[in-house]
Amino acid sequence: MQMIESTSEDQRVAEQWIREYLAREHGDLGRGGAVCPFVGPAREAGAIRMESLRAEPADGTDELVGSLRDRMQHFRDLPVPEGKEPLTALVVLIRDLPRHRWRLLDRAQRRLKREAVREGLMVGQFHPDCPEPAHWNPSFAVSRSPLPLVAVRHMAFHDILFLHADPVLFAEYRKRFGIRYEDGGKVPQEFRTLYEGAPRLPAPTGNSYIDYQSVTLLHALHQPRTAHQAESSFYLAGQAKELLFSLVLEEVRAAQEGIAADDLGRSSWHMRRAAAGFRLLGEFWELLSTLSPAEFHSFRDALGDASGNGSYKYRELEFALGVAAPSTAATYEGVPGVETEVYRALHDASVYDDALGLLVRRGLLSAGALGPDRDAQAIRDAWARIHREKSVSSGLLRWAESLMDLAQAFGRWRSLHLLTVERIIGYKPGTGGTTGVAWLRHVASQHAFPELWEARSCLEGGTTGGDHAFPPSPLDPGPGASRKRERG
């Protein structure tokens, strides 16, 4: 990326967005006041500086991170009017970044966030598809702007809203603002609640392995409710699955980054690891299937309403795979930190959205097929065409099959879940208010990436598949269809 002069049109659009959106109230914000209370005073003080970077055709996340790190250093070196440091901001417009690469700004911001916070800075990304949710109304994607840009500013007291859920980020916030909470000063109750409930890092032990893996903290978190050994296995397996959900989700997001950068080899590599993560998750069902019905019922009452269906990290993973309805996000409303994470995943595109966008860019699918009324037949034909016309040495075919490997691993995990529950509790109602096996059987029947599966039926005899009958897609015609959008 390279620094360029900002065009008058870009500046006009950005300034209009700052003036007419950020500096004003918005009905979907969930609170009164401007979208960004900082912007009005900063504009009046003349403390907002605007610059432009031009993306090169081959630029990916690494190049974005490097360029934005340079702008952070530049921001620290800027002369600041006396008394105006808290209002100073640098807005960096990103020119010539194709739409399918806008998501790389999200990835770059996540990679820079800890580095910025350590230096007392905040870095925020904005673009027309930005998934960042509003704190007071997470169903509202608050950070969408008419063109891609990044803003750098100094950390402020209200940033507890964005830093409380991560113990590393919170520790940096606490260094700067903790005294205001701990000396009995006047603090909004919402801020105090977040501050007091924020996770703290454990004290170092001096043992490098224990400290690196947070081993003492991990073991301290193993807190089954009964003395039954069977519950200990059940409890630990559940905690381990939560960690693996995070691993798989990060690999899926990395695969999406590869798609956005048109690097199919990289995308396939991460989907391969995500699929391996699902296979490892499946082994936990093998472990849990060793519990007899009597052993499970010996501690089941201690679960109360707790159910794996309440896993927010798994819900984020379902959104990343495109297999969950938006309505499921409402389950986490009011849960500090968790609600924001879930809605961010909901607002974001799935790996299948990005895969279909790549088919558009490669000329295998028309952009119109990805509209509100998705053309499933056209999508099936596009996947079938890859298999008919590409040899096994084709990078596009290998990538499509790595996508299928991921879908199959996910489906296998769901099927093993069904079999394990059926083996242990039979047809009794499940915990958390589900119908148990009946609900799991319905879920297990729904494939990730449905047209990729259905395309197999379009291949015999070279037909287009027009005469084949297909099962309904997981989100067709359900509520999830509304979150699909063109990614070409």
Side-chain angles (χ1 to χ4, degrees):
M1 304 187 75
Q2 59 178 336
M3 292 295 304
I4 59 172
E5 291 292 328
S6 299
T7 69
S8 57
E9 178 61 17
D10 280 349
Q11 284 198 347
R12 184 193 67 78
V13 171
E15 289 170 356
Q16 181 179 9
W17 172 73
I18 291 171
R19 182 178 65 252
E20 298 183 2
Y21 175 70
L22 289 184
R24 292 186 178 180
E25 293 187 7
H26 195 288
D28 292 329
L29 195 59
R31 60 161 173 79
V35 171
C36 179
F38 159 89
V39 164
R43 289 183 66 240
E44 291 178 8
I48 300 177
R49 176 165 178 166
M50 196 172 294
E51 299 178 344
S52 291
L53 285 173
R54 171 178 288 145
E56 301 294 341
D59 282 348
T61 307
D62 290 342
E63 288 75 20
L64 279 170
V65 167
S67 294
L68 295 177
R69 183 178 286 120
D70 287 344
R71 301 334 294 158
M72 285 168 50
Q73 179 61 52
H74 175 61
F75 174 73
R76 288 191 295 269
D77 295 338
L78 285 175
V80 179
E82 185 176 352
K84 303 299 183 183
E85 180 179 288
L87 298 176
T88 306
L90 176 64
V91 176
V92 183
L93 310 180
I94 312 296
R95 294 277 309 280
D96 299 337
L97 188 68
R99 179 175 182 176
H100 67 277
R101 296 195 179 195
W102 290 343
R103 71 159 38 258
L104 299 183
L105 278 178
D106 305 322
R107 193 79 175 179
Q109 188 270 349
R110 285 194 289 272
R111 283 175 52 178
L112 281 171
K113 189 171 183 178
R114 286 193 174 185
E115 178 180 328
V117 169
R118 280 197 299 269
E119 298 175 10
L121 303 179
M122 296 292 288
V123 177
Q125 83 287 13
F126 304 81
H127 58 81
D129 286 339
C130 189
E132 295 298 325
H135 175 78
W136 302 99
N137 177 21
S139 63
F140 174 48
V142 70
S143 295
R144 293 189 173 172
S145 58
L147 69 174
L149 59 92
V150 171
V152 184
R153 61 171 174 80
H154 294 282
M155 190 190 300
F157 181 65
H158 71 267
D159 287 326
I160 183 70
L161 299 174
F162 314 115
L163 304 176
H164 68 92
D166 184 315
V168 174
L169 301 181
F170 175 73
E172 296 296 334
Y173 176 86
R174 189 181 182 190
K175 287 179 186 177
R176 291 165 176 81
F177 300 105
I179 189 64
R180 294 179 61 176
Y181 293 87
E182 295 158 11
D183 67 0
K186 187 176 180 180
V187 174
Q189 185 57 47
E190 166 78 7
F191 289 13
R192 187 171 295 282
T193 299
L194 293 177
Y195 185 87
E196 293 173 353
R200 266 67 166 177
L201 290 169
T205 67
N207 180 291
S208 57
Y209 174 76
I210 291 173
D211 292 341
Y212 176 75
Q213 296 286 6
S214 301
V215 173
T216 53
L217 179 60
L218 279 174
H219 288 302
L221 293 174
H222 184 61
Q223 297 291 335
R225 305 293 175 85
T226 73
H228 295 285
Q229 179 59 37
E231 189 199 358
S232 183
S233 295
F234 179 87
Y235 192 97
L236 189 147
Q239 290 183 317
K241 284 189 293 181
E242 287 295 325
L243 295 176
L244 283 168
F245 292 152
S246 282
L247 181 149
V248 175
L249 177 61
E250 283 303 306
E251 293 301 329
V252 170
R253 290 306 190 199
Q256 291 182 261
E257 185 179 352
I259 295 172
D262 294 294
D263 187 342
L264 298 192
R266 180 180 177 186
S267 178
S268 296
W269 183 265
H270 288 290
M271 284 193 283
R272 171 176 172 265
R273 189 175 295 143
F278 269 125
R279 289 193 292 272
L280 184 56
L281 278 162
E283 292 301 312
F284 282 100
W285 295 128
E286 298 293 335
L287 170 66
L288 293 176
S289 69
T290 66
L291 272 62
S292 72
E295 285 179 309
F296 179 71
H297 287 292
S298 70
F299 64 84
R300 188 181 188 187
D301 287 347
L303 300 180
D305 293 331
S307 166
N309 192 42
S311 169
Y312 74 92
K313 193 57 65 174
Y314 177 70
R315 194 66 66 206
E316 291 179 53
L317 181 52
E318 284 191 323
F319 286 141
L321 296 173
V323 297
S327 59
T328 59
T331 305
Y332 307 95
E333 288 181 359
V335 183
V338 170
E339 180 183 31
T340 300
E341 290 296 316
V342 170
Y343 274 96
R344 182 182 293 110
L346 171 64
H347 296 322
D348 207 350
S350 72
V351 66
Y352 196 50
D353 292 332
D354 289 341
L356 296 180
L358 184 133
L359 297 188
V360 171
R361 298 198 300 278
R362 295 295 177 96
L364 295 164
L365 187 65
S366 71
L370 305 183
D373 298 320
R374 201 166 78 180
D375 189 342
Q377 180 63 60
I379 297 170
R380 286 193 291 267
D381 288 347
W383 289 122
R385 180 179 169 186
I386 290 173
H387 283 80
R388 289 197 194 98
E389 299 182 3
K390 306 296 180 182
S391 69
V392 292
S393 63
S394 162
L396 191 59
L397 177 58
R398 291 199 304 271
W399 169 76
E401 285 300 278
S402 68
L403 198 65
M404 176 55 89
D405 290 341
L406 176 58
Q408 180 172 320
F410 173 66
R412 177 179 178 272
W413 186 83
R414 280 182 156 183
S415 296
L416 287 172
H417 186 184
L418 164 64
L419 289 172
T420 303
V421 171
E422 192 169 14
R423 172 173 178 159
I424 295 175
I425 69 169
Y427 301 97
K428 295 178 181 179
T431 55
T434 73
T435 58
V437 166
W439 176 74
L440 289 173
R441 181 169 288 114
H442 169 71
V443 168
S445 70
Q446 299 178 336
H447 283 313
F449 324 145
E451 295 89 359
L452 184 59
W453 291 84
E454 294 161 5
R456 269 66 180 162
S457 300
C458 304
L459 294 174
E460 63 266 18
T463 66
T464 63
D467 296 328
H468 292 286
F470 298 101
S473 297
L475 301 179
D476 181 19
S482 63
R483 70 182 291 262
K484 299 295 180 186
R485 59 183 184 272
E486 178 184 329
R487 300 289 297 181

